[in-house]
Amino acid sequence: MFGSSPSLDRLENPRSDQASELYTADEQLIGKYFRENRSPVGYKEMSPRLIQALVATEDARFYEHAGIDPQAIASAVYGSFKGDARGASTITQQLAKNLYKTRTDNSKGALGYIPGLNIVISKTKEWLTAIKLEQRYTKEEILAMYLNTVDFGSNSFGIKVASNTFFNTSPDSLKVEQAAVLIGLLKAPTYYSPRFNPNNATRRRNTVLGQMVKYGYLPKADADSLSQLPLVLDYSVENHYDGPATYFRGAVADYLQEWCKENGYDLYRDGLKIYTTIDSRIQAHAEAAMEEHMRKLQKRFDNHWKGRNPWVDEKDKEIPGFIEQTIQRTAYYKRLKDKYGDDKAAINRELNRPREMKVFTWDNDSLEKTVTMSPLDSLAYYKHFLHGGMMTMDPFTGHIKAWVGGINFKYFKYDHVKQARRQPGSTFKPFVYVSAIDNGYSPCDKIVDKRITINYVEKGEKKSWSPTNADWEYTGAPMTLRRAMGKSVNSVTAQLTEKVGWETVVKYAKRLGINGPLEAVPSIGLGPSDVSIFDMVGAYGTFPNHGFHTDPMFITRIEDRNGNLIHQFTPKQKKVLSEETAFLMMHMLKGGMEEPGGTSQALWEYDLWKGNEIGGKTGTTSNHSDGWFMGVTKDLVTGVWVGGEDRSVHFRTSQLGEGSKTALPVFGLFMERMYKDTSLGYTMGRFPGPTVKINKKYNCTTVLPRQTVPDSAAVDSVLELLNMGNML
């Protein structure tokens, strides 16, 4: 009839909603997950002035009563008869109400729905609960619990978050006037907000200072002086757009939602401490490298398309109605449809109505600017941007060290590391070569670089495919598999695919960790099937890890709010290649740098070559819609993708749009930063030698052909040796 009251267990183990915190491997806090942003602190971590301001303003006889203040109740009753309504709740009663939600529907009984009586019942419960709290906790503990539970407005719950939000400080460092502002907020967080109602906040601050004088906590002269001070804020509301590794936090949240559901936790309330594999320093280098290159690349792209829109079809013609059709797939358009129905005129009026807005820009350090645009104009503006994704992993542990899901999370939420899948182009070719090497071939085996046509049957239908090399040239001469992969020769890859079987290539790609649908077709090696950076980095990690595939992992352990270990995550490894095959594939990947015409040779431009070895593979898809680079050092595997949000948005020439120009520079800049940061412990060096006997021949000298076949242009071997990777 009266509804539930807090149990003995809840009284002795009070639980308020608490933000879960995300930490890097080097123990830097990089994010929180919360409905109420709250991070509790102990009584000793709070300024004495804060405690004095609270007691003087909210409950002057706090240290004298046992949870209920009869004098305050009598004064409130007397005041109500005189028309002067005032509160009589003690701090302990307010804590009982806040902590145990005594006035919610969940705690109501049948009598709680009767007007007037419900207030009496709620008050009685709060009195009883307050008395029990006083019996079980010290005054200091009650004050700490109270200040950790109250709402200060501006999405700040508890004194720690509030101190940081309004003054960029901690509770133990609050000045008297700052403490007075925060305590003043408790009466009405919106009305007395120093950010939105500064005049009200100033008056309320001075009232709190007056209360401190009244009860002997502050000399009157000090209060008078402080009351004259202007309101000075260092205001910043913590949100999910701030800080590093924003895309990574979203990926972790997606995983943790499922984990919490299976294990009985609430990510947004239980105050979990999640420790990840990300290194904050490596993450900073990755984000800086991405920003540095994308700023330059966007300028190049804008100049390339100056005077034209970049959304074009296969014939390089602008796609008519592209923006109008695209906006119809947005949530904004759906809201307009819900509002206006079939009134197209009203919808179009809203789509074309200019309004002031903030948009993303590379033009300044703040990465945003205020403009006046219509929704259609802003969509067209955003479609001009190139995007990027990048992930770096330790191939031996599977620990992901850096995760850059895009160019700016605030304006572009889509994660290009795990959420996005794009055609990988020639970065998929190593799966053809590993299939061959694991089934009898060696890096020194040769296949003639020539025009070919492959006839095959797909779903009962006879088809043929005639691949072309990126430069439309064919040497007509035998070419080692190492050089063919290093130079990214399509004709050799296609022939090798036919020899080992495209179903075999799919099998090996899956074995190495490529998830999602892969089409078993002759062109599989040229990367027609969409993949994620996440999978590609994990797959390439198999080669330096001696044939063991390690699932990429991003969480090492989870603790509860009290620091107790809940779950420890361990790497998941599986032997998928022989150690000989893995070693030979590392030798093959070095071919991108070492073979004449190797497509990774643009890396020579970076300061990475003091006794160092790097394996790499570039990739470019049709019309230069996607640029890729996969880089492997003795310690790390990194994948980079760059392209438009839509495949129809791209460069028009290989000189500008291939992976060696769009994606490889991000890797180069990143590794330069990594090696310069000596605190990380990553050094240049050669790949380790084989630990098993290598039976296959792999040290073979590439002999350049002197001429091409009649239907090809002549190849200047000297120029080819100097080629810095201007092909796939």
Side-chain angles (χ1 to χ4, degrees), residues 554-573:
F554 41 73
I555 302 175
T556 55
R557 71 183 191 276
I558 300 176
E559 298 175 356
D560 65 16
R561 63 173 64 193
N562 298 315
N564 300 312
L565 181 66
I566 298 173
H567 191 80
Q568 185 89 38
F569 294 82
T570 56
K572 294 180 180 178
Q573 290 193 340

Side-chain angles (χ1 to χ4, degrees), residues 312-354:
V312 293
D313 59 21
E314 297 290 330
K315 298 180 180 179
D316 197 30
K317 301 293 183 184
E318 182 177 337
I319 300 171
F322 175 78
I323 296 299
E324 290 76 13
Q325 293 172 22
T326 302
I327 205 165
Q328 291 180 21
R329 299 192 294 270
T330 64
Y332 174 69
Y333 188 86
K334 186 179 184 301
R335 291 196 297 272
L336 291 180
K337 282 284 291 180
D338 292 341
K339 183 176 181 179
Y340 295 110
D342 294 327
D343 189 346
K344 292 184 178 180
I347 293 174
N348 287 331
R349 192 163 54 247
E350 286 299 309
L351 293 178
N352 287 280
R353 182 171 63 84

